[in-house]
Amino acid sequence: MTTALRDLISNPNTAELELIARYGMQPEDPRRERLFEAFAQIGLPTRRMEAWKWTDFKAALSALDRPASQSASDPLASEEALCFRFSPDGFEYPKDLPEGINLFVKPEPQALGSAEDVPLGALAAALAGSKTRPGTLMIEVTAADLPRLHFAFSGEGEASFARVTIVVRPGAELTVSESYLGGAGFLSSVFEYSLQGDAKVSRTVYQRGAEMETMAATALVQLEGESEYTQTSLAFGAKLARLETRLVHKEAGAKATMNAAYLVGKGLHADITTHVRHGARSCVTRQMTKGAVLDGGTGVFQGKFHVPRTAGQYTDADMQHKALLLEEGAVVFAKPELEIYADDVECAHGNTCGALDANQLFYMRQRGIPERTARALLTEAFIAEAVETAGDLKDILRHVASNWLAQS
Amino acid sequence: MDCCGGIDEHEDDCTDVKVKDSIDAGTVEAAKRLQSENYSAGFSTDIEMDMAPKGLSEDTIRFISAKKNEPEWLLEWRLAAYKRWLTMEEPTWAMVRYPKINYQDYYYYAAPKTGAKYESIDDVPKEILETYEKLGIPLREAEVLLGVEGAAETAATARETPRVAVDAVFDSVSVATTFRKELEKAGVIFMSISEAVHEYPDLMKKYLGTVVPQSDNFFATLNSAVFSDGTFVYVPKGVRCPMELSTYFRMNAENTGQFERTLIVCDEGAYVSYLEGCTAPMRDENQLHAAVVELVALEDAEIKYSTVQNWWPGDEDGKGGIYNFVTKRGDCRGDRSKISWTQVETGSAVTWKYPSCILRGDDSVGEFYSIAVTNGRQQADTGTKMIHLGKRTRSRIISKGISAGKSNNTYRGLVSVNKKADKARNFTQCDSLLIGDRCGAHTVPYVENRRADAQLEHEATTTKLSDDQLFYVRQRGIGEEEAVALLVNGFVREVLQELPMEFAVEAQSLLKVSLEGSVG
């Protein structure tokens, strides 16, 4: 079995061989086999693949369980939230859950969803859980006014994988947050969100990692009925960090807002990738991504709107990416893409890249504000727009961003 | 069907094309006029041809080289390219789909039997002269002096009509080059590339393949191996070329490929405006066109390169048409040099073309203005690359894509700012318009920025025009939509009007196209 898989991956590197070995330790299951094969067909994504041309996991990830720096602290953790903690040993979850949240822990991989469409999503789905005790978390939400669900991921020196499936029933509402805190050579998760009827979800993602760490957080989102999905991400990057969202509007009238901010320092790389398919009429997507990058850092934004013929009519979609290169040596790559087959739609995209406005800086400096502070203030104001959608968590995100700016 | 490329939404057989109400009627009409049934250049010329044996091998390359009596170094250059080509794979990343091409099924050389180049215009076979006349390209200098087809009846209008020197390429050979003598007086070299190989070997050795290297890409490498004819232009130091130069490419013979190669070198402080036009007969088979164009602009030089591409697009059902795989690149080698590409793309079944600028010299400028209209079952994947290497380099990209019928139109562009490109500047604007609900419009812009002081903007909506301009027009009492149309179209109209009249027939009809109802 594993020999066959090794043959699937061309020139496997050490990390890929370790992944195959890790798969070999799991109990046999046809669904797991299908998922892992979907990953093995491609292997760790490389720059030769169009969707990964700026984020090459194969080159960055040479070995899996590398001792890494300590995981970052978690600003989104709160006693008021229901916390789910994921580590290489599996996951911990609150024992008492309020009515309206039903939790199912499945030891076997699940066949639902489309995790196999994304290589690192398929990998996370196949290896979810601990080395010896695999598992998928499934959550059903049936009520509104629930406490926030918070998911925290840290590696503690070992690679970890997670899969969480959340179904939000018609009329239900959910606030959810995810923190990716590093601590291992490799961390990969896949979240599947299914919103039914007029369900509402507000999702906040926080990512922080160090120079030796790679992480990939993949979300697959399906919107049915007139549901509303709001996503706000704040990424600080790692050796490689990719936050990828693939969203499908499945029924007419769904609304999605997907904002993101990245703040990237020396030696780090943050990648915000989104793919939105307008598979039903009259759906709305609003997307604003803002980034600020320091010397030696790399920011990547890849966005795509896909509007199919007939089904996608009356789409209203807007994608904006704005990046600040704060110092020489900063690098920003962007690809805001449109693929449109329906004629009565509004799809806009915009992309700007540059330095802080010299006039604004001058204005602040002549008011007696030191240059460093002026730069930090302007950058914070620039980034703030993108995290505005995080609801109660927006102040925390702004605070973390402003601390980072003050220190850099 | 074994296919290259990938578009995931294929046409069903529904023939009704509905156009939404907000699309301007004039735009729909203008697009219809460009449909294949109205293709006026679709006739073929009956003339005896001298062909290379069908297929591609080292022998074909030796045959072409021998026909042109080429020096050994060029044959070696071709053979090296061929060897490399054998190891390369056809690119599949573009959003175009076509049956796998059998490269052995084409003729790689076709020339009129009476010879390639004629001593005097009177020796050019009647059929060929008639062909160009029919296309509106008079090759007799006297006629050119009088302007086009009676357009300049009086001496006064003749003086005002700008003169255009033409290099006429018929299948694989250049058949006539007008105004050569007069251009020589100004020191401008304007001749077919086959002649230049013999007359100016040093210039050819110095510049050939320096902008688009042999190994650049699959189609450019194929061209390097089998290129037949094309134009060579050299404008010496400080000379402003006294007239517009142009090449008119005509593909006539059946099952042939045209592989021309154009090289334009503008020395320090020189200026040239060059225009290229192309048409082909309506044939049921797909013909192959893989050209390479290299531009070199030295210090303070400026090259303006305009194209009206009107190759046979195939019929409404997608039968026949030209596969147009072209590599065009300009190198702003000197400081303060400028290269400007203008293209009007209405033809070809499949277009794969990205005229680019390497902005190497400090303060150099690159421009790309494009209008691509697809109809029937045409597929166009076109755009540009602006590679900023020098300090304070500036580039501007304006692209309008209009898709009608069951066609697909993709803008693909790269703006890349290198670490050393201090204060680089780019502005990109691309708009797409879909006429009907059976076509596709796609935008794939790539931005790679490695400079903090670079300023890059990309916009793809009609509402994102400069606020100041909009405000100015609106305060004069003009409604927002009209103001936007005025500003966008006004700009494009200005570009098109710079095209010399005789090639601008297709372009002129595009002026009626408006961007109302643009999708992004």
Side-chain angles (χ1 to χ4, degrees):
Chain A
M1 181 64 227
T2 45
T3 323
L5 284 173
R6 191 170 310 166
D7 293 343
L8 269 182
I9 303 177
S10 62
N11 299 322
N13 67 8
T14 313
E16 283 167 328
L17 292 173
E18 285 173 358
L19 288 168
I20 292 169
R22 179 137 177 189
Y23 167 73
M25 290 160 70
Q26 310 274 347
E28 263 187 51
D29 183 293
R31 284 166 291 195
R32 189 188 329 275
E33 188 177 331
R34 198 168 60 111
L35 285 164
F36 196 80
E37 243 180 52
F39 160 74
Q41 299 278 1
I42 295 165
L44 287 169
T46 75
R47 75 188 59 174
R48 285 165 198 269
M49 298 164 64
E50 177 65 26
W52 300 83
K53 63 181 290 180
W54 293 313
T55 303
D56 187 331
F57 266 87
K58 189 158 182 165
L61 186 56
S62 46
L64 217 53
D65 297 323
R66 182 186 311 147
S69 48
Q70 258 202 321
S71 55
S73 61
D74 186 0
L76 301 184
S78 154
E79 282 182 5
E80 287 159 27
L82 297 166
C83 283
F84 296 73
R85 292 185 196 289
F86 291 73
S87 68
D89 300 326
F91 42 78
E92 292 165 26
Y93 48 90
K95 293 292 172 276
D96 295 321
L97 289 168
E99 206 173 315
I101 297 180
N102 304 316
L103 181 73
F104 309 91
V105 181
K106 302 279 187 184
E108 70 278 10
Q110 297 301 305
L112 57 93
S114 48
E116 57 264 43
D117 291 350
V118 203
L120 294 181
L123 177 71
L127 302 180
S130 72
K131 270 184 191 167
T132 48
R133 205 159 39 84
T136 300
L137 255 185
M138 295 175 76
I139 297 167
E140 182 190 29
V141 182
T142 57
D145 292 325
L146 295 166
R148 167 162 62 99
L149 301 188
H150 179 63
F151 299 85
F153 300 84
S154 54
E156 292 161 20
E158 261 184 75
S160 69
F161 304 91
R163 184 186 197 184
V164 180
T165 301
I166 298 177
V167 177
V168 188
R169 299 292 182 198
E173 288 178 26
L174 179 69
T175 304
V176 58
S177 54
E178 299 163 26
S179 292
Y180 298 89
L181 306 163
F186 187 41
L187 197 156
S188 179
S189 75
V190 58
F191 268 76
E192 285 148 283
Y193 286 94
S194 173
L195 278 66
Q196 301 174 343
D198 49 355
K200 281 187 184 147
V201 166
S202 171
R203 173 181 182 236
T204 302
V205 181
Y206 173 80
Q207 179 278 326
R208 196 145 201 172
E211 256 180 81
M212 295 296 284
E213 302 164 359
T214 59
M215 40 184 112
T218 309
L220 307 164
V221 183
Q222 296 194 350
L223 304 187
E224 290 169 20
E226 293 191 345
S227 54
E228 250 185 84
Y229 176 79
T230 307
Q231 172 178 308
T232 313
S233 310
L234 176 62
F236 287 91
K239 183 178 187 183
L240 280 191
R242 168 132 155 168
L243 303 184
E244 180 166 347
T245 309
R246 300 180 74 85
L247 183 141
V248 184
H249 288 283
K250 293 189 82 175
E251 282 177 13
K255 275 189 192 142
T257 306
M258 293 197 290
N259 289 355
Y262 56 84
L263 296 167
V264 190
K266 197 175 173 63
L268 304 182
H269 177 117
D271 174 336
I272 306 287
T273 294
T274 60
H275 184 287
V276 178
R277 183 179 160 90
H278 276 261
R281 293 184 168 221
S282 310
C283 293
V284 179
T285 303
R286 290 284 173 273
Q287 205 180 341
M288 163 69 73
T289 304
K290 291 204 167 183
V293 184
L294 295 173
D295 178 15
T298 304
V300 175
F301 169 75
Q302 301 186 102
K304 181 168 182 173
F305 289 155
H306 179 198
V307 183
R309 180 159 296 134
T310 316
Q313 286 292 33
Y314 317 122
T315 286
D316 177 4
D318 184 90
M319 179 199 303
Q320 301 294 329
H321 171 246
K322 294 178 181 182
L324 281 178
L325 286 80
L326 295 175
E327 294 170 343
E328 283 312 333
V331 176
V332 169
F333 298 129
K335 186 167 81 149
E337 196 180 343
L338 303 177
E339 188 175 342
I340 303 171
Y341 297 94
D343 64 333
D344 205 353
V345 301
E346 287 283 342
C347 287
H349 64 179
N351 182 51
T352 58
C353 259
L356 282 171
D357 185 341
N359 285 331
Q360 290 180 357
L361 261 179
F362 175 74
Y363 180 84
M364 292 182 84
R365 292 208 58 198
Q366 70 162 356
R367 291 279 178 278
I369 299 170
E371 180 164 352
R372 210 182 132 90
T373 318
R375 282 180 168 278
L377 273 173
L378 285 173
T379 312
E380 190 187 332
F382 171 81
I383 292 292
E385 189 190 352
V387 297
E388 202 65 17
T389 42
D392 295 344
L393 299 176
K394 78 173 181 212
D395 292 336
I396 298 175
L397 296 185
R398 270 193 78 155
H399 181 71
V400 180
S402 114
N403 276 351
W404 181 86
L405 285 164
Q407 284 160 19
S408 58
Chain B
M1 187 165 64
D2 195 1
C3 289
C4 294
I7 290 177
D8 64 352
E9 314 255 331
H10 298 312
E11 253 329 304
D12 50 36
D13 287 327
C14 173
T15 46
D16 284 346
V17 172
K18 288 185 229 86
V19 176
K20 66 172 176 172
D21 297 339
S22 60
I23 306 267
D24 177 60
T27 304
V28 177
E29 267 311 298
K32 266 194 190 146
R33 266 196 297 282
L34 294 166
Q35 265 168 15
S36 54
E37 66 232 45
N38 298 326
Y39 190 73
S40 60
F43 61 90
S44 64
T45 310
D46 200 9
I47 186 167
E48 236 185 308
M49 299 296 279
D50 191 3
M51 316 273 266
K54 206 176 199 175
L56 179 56
S57 65
E58 272 197 25
D59 291 342
T60 320
I61 291 157
R62 288 182 198 281
F63 177 94
I64 296 171
S65 192
K67 273 279 168 197
K68 295 182 174 292
N69 199 18
E70 282 176 358
E72 191 62 26
W73 68 265
L74 193 52
L75 174 64
E76 290 306 319
W77 196 79
R78 286 173 178 276
L79 289 172
Y82 176 66
K83 271 194 196 118
R84 186 179 275 271
W85 181 75
L86 289 174
T87 65
M88 293 169 94
E89 275 179 37
E90 200 168 326
T92 54
W93 43 259
M95 285 177 78
V96 293
R97 199 177 69 106
Y98 52 89
K100 200 159 178 58
I101 295 172
N102 179 2
Y103 289 89
Q104 297 305 332
D105 215 19
Y106 287 98
Y107 291 100
Y108 286 81
Y109 182 86
K113 217 161 204 160
T114 41
K117 201 74 187 186
Y118 306 93
E119 284 299 312
S120 129
I121 196 82
D122 295 324
D123 299 337
V124 176
K126 196 166 92 274
E127 296 91 332
I128 295 180
L129 277 181
E130 280 171 7
T131 302
Y132 282 91
E133 254 168 47
K134 232 166 146 178
L135 295 166
I137 317 296
L139 296 180
R140 289 175 189 278
E141 290 171 28
E143 287 170 25
V144 180
L145 280 167
L146 279 176
V148 189
E149 291 187 46
E153 303 274 302
T154 64
T157 40
R159 268 198 301 277
E160 282 165 16
T161 311
R163 289 176 306 163
V164 182
V166 180
D167 183 18
V169 176
F170 195 79
D171 286 325
S172 304
V173 290
S174 163
V175 289
T177 311
T178 62
F179 289 108
R180 268 180 69 169
K181 295 258 153 45
E182 195 169 333
L183 286 166
E184 267 168 30
K185 278 185 216 155
V188 176
I189 302 170
F190 176 52
M191 58 176 58
S192 77
I193 214 154
S194 310
E195 292 168 285
V197 167
H198 295 288
E199 294 185 31
Y200 299 96
D202 293 344
L203 281 176
M204 289 298 282
K205 275 189 202 168
K206 187 170 173 189
Y207 291 109
L208 188 73
T210 60
V211 185
V212 179
Q214 268 181 339
S215 56
D216 195 77
N217 68 70
F218 183 83
F219 298 115
T221 307
L222 173 65
N223 175 287
S224 302
V226 301
F227 75 90
S228 33
D229 224 331
T231 308
F232 173 65
V233 177
Y234 175 80
V235 188
K237 230 180 208 178
V239 172
R240 193 178 167 89
C241 188
M243 61 181 87
E244 301 259 352
L245 304 184
S246 72
T247 305
Y248 199 92
F249 295 99
R250 177 71 178 169
M251 231 191 256
N252 186 61
E254 249 175 295
N255 286 326
T256 51
Q258 194 172 54
F259 304 93
E260 84 269 7
R261 201 168 177 110
T262 298
L263 173 60
I264 299 177
V265 181
C266 229
D267 214 323
E268 289 171 26
Y271 167 84
V272 67
S273 165
Y274 176 91
L275 197 119
E276 162 199 270
C278 26
T279 56
M282 298 182 189
R283 297 200 188 278
D284 286 348
E285 303 79 29
N286 295 107
Q287 283 176 285
L288 185 60
H289 177 248
V292 169
V293 174
E294 298 179 280
L295 311 183
V296 180
L298 301 181
E299 232 170 81
D300 297 302
E302 180 178 348
I303 301 175
K304 191 179 151 197
Y305 193 106
S306 316
T307 307
V308 176
Q309 188 266 103
N310 191 17
W311 294 115
W312 166 234
D315 68 11
E316 259 182 71
D317 300 320
K319 200 168 184 192
I322 306 291
Y323 291 153
N324 189 29
F325 304 123
V326 177
T327 308
K328 292 185 168 182
R329 196 173 301 151
D331 190 354
C332 285
R333 224 164 261 189
D335 294 350
R336 298 169 301 282
S337 55
K338 178 176 176 183
I339 288 177
S340 170
W341 299 98
T342 305
Q343 62 170 23
V344 176
E345 299 277 316
T346 59
S348 296
V350 176
T351 299
W352 182 101
K353 177 182 174 187
Y354 316 93
S356 308
C357 295
I358 301 169
L359 302 167
R360 202 183 301 274
D362 292 347
D363 301 290
S364 58
V365 177
E367 290 175 340
F368 175 77
Y369 303 112
S370 169
I371 299 182
V373 182
T374 53
N375 230 309
R377 288 184 188 261
Q378 279 176 277
Q379 304 170 68
D381 193 305
T382 183
T384 185
K385 290 186 207 171
M386 291 291 171
I387 315 284
H388 291 258
L389 303 175
K391 296 185 173 69
R392 299 173 300 279
T393 45
R394 284 168 291 149
S395 63
R396 183 179 205 182
I397 301 170
I398 307 285
S399 164
K400 284 171 69 155
I402 297 157
S403 332
K406 297 176 176 178
S407 65
N408 273 291
N409 199 331
T410 305
Y411 166 80
R412 187 183 299 274
L414 166 70
V415 176
S416 162
V417 178
N418 190 270
K419 263 184 193 157
K420 290 179 181 158
D422 293 23
K423 298 193 173 66
R425 217 34 206 100
N426 164 266
F427 176 78
T428 301
Q429 185 180 7
C430 47
D431 297 300
S432 322
L433 185 66
L434 290 161
I435 298 178
D437 54 359
R438 304 270 118 204
C439 45
H442 321 300
T443 313
V444 194
Y446 295 80
V447 176
E448 301 188 351
N449 185 5
R450 295 181 168 83
R451 276 302 298 195
D453 54 8
Q455 210 178 328
L456 311 180
E457 290 166 68
H458 176 105
E459 289 181 357
T461 46
T462 48
T463 49
K464 282 289 165 78
L465 279 170
S466 152
D467 287 344
D468 289 349
Q469 283 181 334
L470 254 181
F471 176 72
Y472 180 83
V473 179
R474 292 215 54 200
Q475 70 159 356
R476 290 280 179 275
I478 295 168
E480 175 141 0
E481 200 155 321
E482 210 183 324
V484 169
L486 206 67
L487 292 170
V488 174
N489 289 346
F491 182 77
V492 173
R493 185 171 291 137
E494 199 182 298
V495 173
L496 287 179
Q497 277 169 347
E498 287 185 30
L499 294 174
M501 273 305 289
E502 55 269 57
F503 290 125
V505 185
E506 299 94 338
Q508 294 293 333
S509 74
L510 285 173
L511 293 182
K512 294 182 183 66
V513 168
S514 96
L515 272 195
E516 220 169 289
S518 168
V519 293

